[in-house]
Amino acid sequence: MKTITTLGMVTAVALSGMTVSAIADTSDKRIALSNNYAGNSWRQAMLGSWEKVTGEAVENGTVAAADAFTTAENQVTEQAAQIQNLILQGYDAIVVNAASPEGLNGAVKEACDAGVVVVSFDGIVTEPCAWRIAVDFKQMGKDEVLYLSDKLSEGGNLLEIRGLAGVFVDDEISAGIHEGVAETGKFEIVGSVHGNWAQDVSQKAVAGILPSLPDDIVGVVTQGGDGYGAAQAFKAAGRDIPVIVMGNRHDELSWWKEQKDASGYETMSVSIAPGVSTLAFWVAQQILDGADVPKDLTVPFLRIDQDNLEDNLANTEEGGVANVEYTLEDAQAVISGAS
Amino acid sequence: MNGLFSPRMLRSLLPPLSLAVLLIAIFYLQPRTMSYFGLNLLLNLAIPIALATIAQMFVLCVNELDLSIGGFVSLVACITATWLYDTPLLGIAALIGLVAVYAALGALIHLRNLPSIVVTLGMSFVWLGLAVLVLPTPGGKAPEYIRTLMTLKPPGIPFPIIASVVIAIVVHILLMRSAWGTVLRGAGGNPRSLERAGWSLLRIKMIMFALAGFFGVLSGMALVGLTTSADANIALRYTLLSIAGVILGGGEFVGGRVSPIGAVIGAVTLALAGSFLSFLRLNPDWQIGAQGAILIIVLALRILISRTEAKR
């Protein structure tokens, strides 16, 4: 294990042409996770991954401690106080999933001034002294259209299922989808509904719009959590089921598996793995290690394709979402990719 | 028994004693906090809470309850981080306007004899809605002078301690030591006799609500000075914290029985309770409950003392 780690580190350094060698010892360093909310399956999986990966890291002596703290009320001032408490508890780095991109900046600044490394992910903070591991939602939307463009070379009509209106994630993914449609130039979005990232809402919304749509819909672009509901709506309407892009939820993946076995149905699935918390952990470890890490990093998507569907489905809990835990090498790849 | 152990004395000593016990426990758990730097980090977020608690105290003093103070402080924070930063004149006008609205609310509650809980609960949604309108996505920037003030590092004593003491003493003199203050408090204690004596209850309620609005404005500005930018939901928990702070500090829901010094101590105690539980490494699922337990213990002690008082 140790040799692999070292090897990975050397490759990463060589690849990126970094000048600073990062072999400082982090075995006496303590890292804390400041999390604002734990009330859904994604966040539970996120905390589970953190516990698993950092538990091993502590056991192997990579770091001295990696404790997770969650605020009880998901409130900005509460998390600000929590971060200030973590500074006082003497942590060397704080990994943050923030309740607000701006509201914690004062506390984050205090941490930086006290020499604490702050790495934010998922819910990022804008304070310049912190590191950010952000999700490129726009690219995610665009990737869906690019996949469809490869698969359906003649193009055609698309149905778009959007998320929760007014949330920036919804705007970003949708903007990416529309950009992809404009670039590839062979698709037309004939209908758009809001599915609120939930199967039941999506099913109702799609069932409602289907009668007004042309018969030849070739693809459905989605945002995750809505693919299964869309499939059920198409089935209930007695229509041919188009290529529905999935969002890594268990019900979506198991439906896809059924269709694949029955009729060779093909699609892809993409979302963000809750294990991104472990990526943030390794990035923090690398910064403590003295590595030269750019302030803005991008989370890789967890994409499931036809050939790795079974593996991912087997690893996904019922009612949960496909997950992946990141390793030190993954973090180094992300870092070298950004620099 | 002599004066030191009389129930009355014990009663007023309870808030500072609770604070001292909590502080000692924190120093024991986390010796790092026992420094200039540590006290600063531990207490700075208590300043806006203390100001919001003072605001709540003015309302409680006239037997009303303000359920909108959290939303109000959020709105002030949003205005401070946007208008007050970009166009100071507009910002100042808006903040003065908000204080006037608070005074008008006091008048409305008094004239129409409406339950303040209903009016302020309704207003909390209005404040939140306005906050979202002013600042749809989190952001903005704290005006430089507020930021400088809130991050002041005076020699010797950490700024949060100085600020808390100043707030407590100023309000204490205003409300407890001045003739005007006695009249204002009387409106909660015995409104009828006050009215017979020729004072206008309407005016008193308007003044008290305006004072609440004024301290709410100070709270929002202090908060933005600490966080550097705002969020429409930033201070929602201040509503309950401020009520708990007043009660913890020795105030009562009715009868004009309040204590500004106690309220500040109560607010600081509540802020410290959160840190204490986090230093204990308590599971977050239990933390709200534990915070409630601390509150119940202190209040139970107070009722015990009051009973002894009543027996004599």
Side-chain angles (χ1 to χ4, degrees):
Chain A
M1 186 70 199
K2 188 102 189 179
T3 41
I4 297 175
T5 313
T6 327
L7 198 68
M9 207 180 280
V10 171
T11 356
V13 170
L15 275 177
S16 61
M18 274 189 270
T19 46
V20 187
S21 67
I23 321 288
D25 194 13
T26 59
S27 60
D28 61 339
K29 302 286 188 194
R30 296 162 67 231
I31 301 178
L33 170 65
S34 163
N35 176 38
N36 66 314
Y37 179 64
N40 62 28
S41 60
W42 198 92
R43 288 295 177 105
Q44 287 295 335
M46 181 194 98
L47 290 171
S49 295
W50 172 273
E51 207 168 300
K52 191 172 146 203
V53 170
T54 63
E56 283 169 20
V58 171
E59 215 162 275
N60 297 340
T62 314
V63 293
D67 308 311
F69 298 85
T70 301
T71 54
E73 295 173 84
N74 188 17
Q75 294 275 323
V76 180
T77 48
E78 195 190 7
Q79 196 175 15
Q82 183 194 49
I83 290 176
Q84 297 190 167
N85 287 338
L86 294 176
I87 304 171
L88 287 174
Q89 280 167 276
Y91 285 97
D92 299 289
I94 302 175
V95 174
V96 186
N97 194 345
S100 157
E102 304 273 353
L104 296 176
N105 283 353
V108 171
K109 187 78 177 44
E110 296 277 3
C112 295
D113 290 348
V116 179
V117 168
V118 180
V119 178
S120 63
F121 72 99
D122 188 37
I124 54 165
V125 296
T126 53
E127 169 60 47
C129 74
W131 277 262
R132 276 161 294 280
I133 304 179
V135 179
D136 191 351
F137 287 109
K138 202 168 174 186
Q139 189 61 43
M140 192 167 123
K142 201 169 165 183
D143 279 357
E144 292 185 27
V145 180
L146 295 180
Y147 166 80
L148 289 177
S149 156
D150 274 350
K151 188 167 158 46
L152 310 162
S153 47
E154 69 278 15
N157 292 328
L158 298 182
L159 169 63
E160 182 190 11
I161 306 180
R162 299 188 56 163
L164 202 56
V167 180
F168 93 97
V169 174
D170 169 57
D171 293 332
E172 287 287 301
I173 298 181
S174 183
I177 287 172
H178 284 263
E179 196 179 294
V181 167
E183 266 178 33
T184 51
K186 53 188 170 189
F187 291 109
E188 190 192 348
I189 296 180
V190 292
S192 178
V193 292
H194 280 280
N196 297 5
W197 302 307
Q199 305 295 359
D200 52 341
V201 181
S202 309
Q203 184 172 349
K204 256 184 262 168
V206 174
I209 197 177
L210 269 185
S212 67
L213 295 181
D215 283 331
D216 54 345
I217 290 182
V218 294
V220 180
V221 280
T222 63
Q223 299 198 353
D226 41 16
Y228 178 75
Q232 294 303 315
F234 270 92
K235 196 175 149 204
R239 288 200 180 212
D240 291 339
I241 294 183
V243 179
I244 303 173
V245 178
M246 296 297 175
N248 291 3
R249 268 64 166 187
H250 182 266
D251 49 4
E252 295 177 335
L253 297 180
S254 47
W255 179 85
W256 176 10
K257 173 82 173 89
E258 271 169 36
Q259 301 303 309
K260 182 182 171 185
D261 292 345
S263 62
Y265 184 78
E266 280 182 30
T267 185
M268 69 92 135
S269 179
V270 64
S271 189
I272 305 299
V276 61
S277 58
T278 61
L279 181 70
F281 167 76
W282 288 118
V283 168
Q285 189 268 343
Q286 283 295 290
I287 297 168
L288 290 177
D289 205 5
D292 185 14
V293 179
K295 293 272 175 172
D296 287 284
L297 301 170
T298 310
V299 181
F301 307 119
L302 174 56
R303 178 171 165 161
I304 302 173
D305 282 294
Q306 204 70 9
D307 47 349
N308 60 7
L309 169 61
E310 283 78 8
D311 292 342
N312 277 293
L313 181 58
N315 288 332
T316 307
E317 272 175 59
E318 189 129 349
V321 52
N323 196 4
V324 61
E325 271 120 24
Y326 293 91
T327 61
L328 177 59
E329 291 76 41
D330 293 328
Q332 283 163 339
V334 167
I335 292 168
S336 58
S339 48
Chain B
M1 279 218 222
N2 57 20
L4 188 61
F5 292 104
S6 72
R8 202 191 162 81
M9 200 63 203
L10 277 180
R11 203 187 136 92
S12 51
L13 274 180
L14 191 59
L17 279 180
S18 329
L19 178 62
V21 169
L22 204 56
L23 212 51
I24 290 168
I26 286 178
F27 286 160
Y28 172 74
L29 282 174
Q30 195 52 258
R32 270 196 200 84
T33 54
M34 225 187 322
S35 62
Y36 184 91
F37 168 78
L39 283 170
N40 210 10
L41 277 188
L42 201 60
L43 293 170
N44 64 5
L45 282 165
I47 302 176
I49 300 179
L51 287 164
T53 306
I54 292 287
Q56 184 70 254
M57 187 201 69
F58 282 117
V59 176
L60 274 173
C61 186
V62 284
N63 298 348
E64 309 286 359
L65 197 60
D66 185 0
L67 293 184
S68 69
I69 191 74
F72 182 73
V73 173
S74 300
L75 171 59
V76 171
C78 290
I79 290 178
T80 307
T82 52
W83 296 350
L84 198 60
Y85 180 78
D86 300 324
T87 46
L89 275 181
L90 177 67
I92 292 169
L95 294 177
I96 292 174
L98 284 179
V99 175
V101 172
Y102 244 79
L105 280 180
L108 178 74
I109 288 169
H110 179 73
L111 289 176
R112 310 305 306 171
N113 206 8
L114 295 168
S116 57
I117 292 187
V118 177
V119 175
T120 55
L121 184 63
M123 284 312 288
S124 71
F125 298 107
V126 174
W127 300 136
L128 186 60
L130 288 175
V132 174
L133 280 180
V134 173
L135 193 66
T137 51
K141 205 162 166 29
E144 208 46 58
Y145 52 94
I146 300 181
R147 179 79 187 141
T148 314
L149 177 68
M150 294 309 291
T151 51
L152 217 56
K153 299 260 190 303
I157 309 170
F159 176 69
I161 295 179
I162 298 178
S164 305
V165 170
V166 167
I167 295 167
I169 290 178
V170 165
V171 181
H172 182 81
I173 291 173
L174 179 80
L175 195 64
M176 311 302 278
R177 287 276 175 262
S178 74
W180 251 101
T182 314
V183 174
L184 292 177
R185 276 184 295 137
N190 196 342
R192 193 165 293 168
S193 60
L194 204 68
E195 206 166 17
R196 287 216 181 109
W199 297 96
S200 158
L201 273 185
L202 174 68
R203 256 178 74 189
I204 292 178
K205 283 227 165 147
M206 286 179 71
I207 290 172
M208 290 304 247
F209 270 79
L211 280 170
F214 175 68
F215 278 90
V217 166
L218 291 186
S219 171
M221 291 169 74
L223 183 57
V224 170
L226 290 171
T227 59
T228 72
S229 52
D231 182 317
N233 298 314
I234 196 162
L236 293 188
R237 66 197 274 268
Y238 281 14
T239 302
L240 291 181
L241 277 180
S242 64
I243 298 174
V246 177
I247 303 302
L248 201 59
E252 302 274 357
F253 279 112
V254 287
R257 199 168 182 180
V258 294
S259 153
I261 296 176
V264 170
I265 291 177
V268 174
T269 309
L270 276 177
L272 284 182
S275 301
F276 169 70
L277 295 170
S278 135
F279 291 144
L280 265 186
R281 304 290 318 275
L282 203 66
N283 184 329
D285 297 340
W286 293 91
Q287 281 197 11
I288 299 186
Q291 220 155 359
I294 293 181
L295 205 62
I296 291 172
I297 291 172
V298 176
L299 293 187
L301 279 174
R302 198 167 92 194
I303 290 172
L304 266 177
I305 295 171
S306 303
R307 278 220 186 125
T308 1
E309 195 174 17
K311 265 186 202 157
R312 301 188 166 214

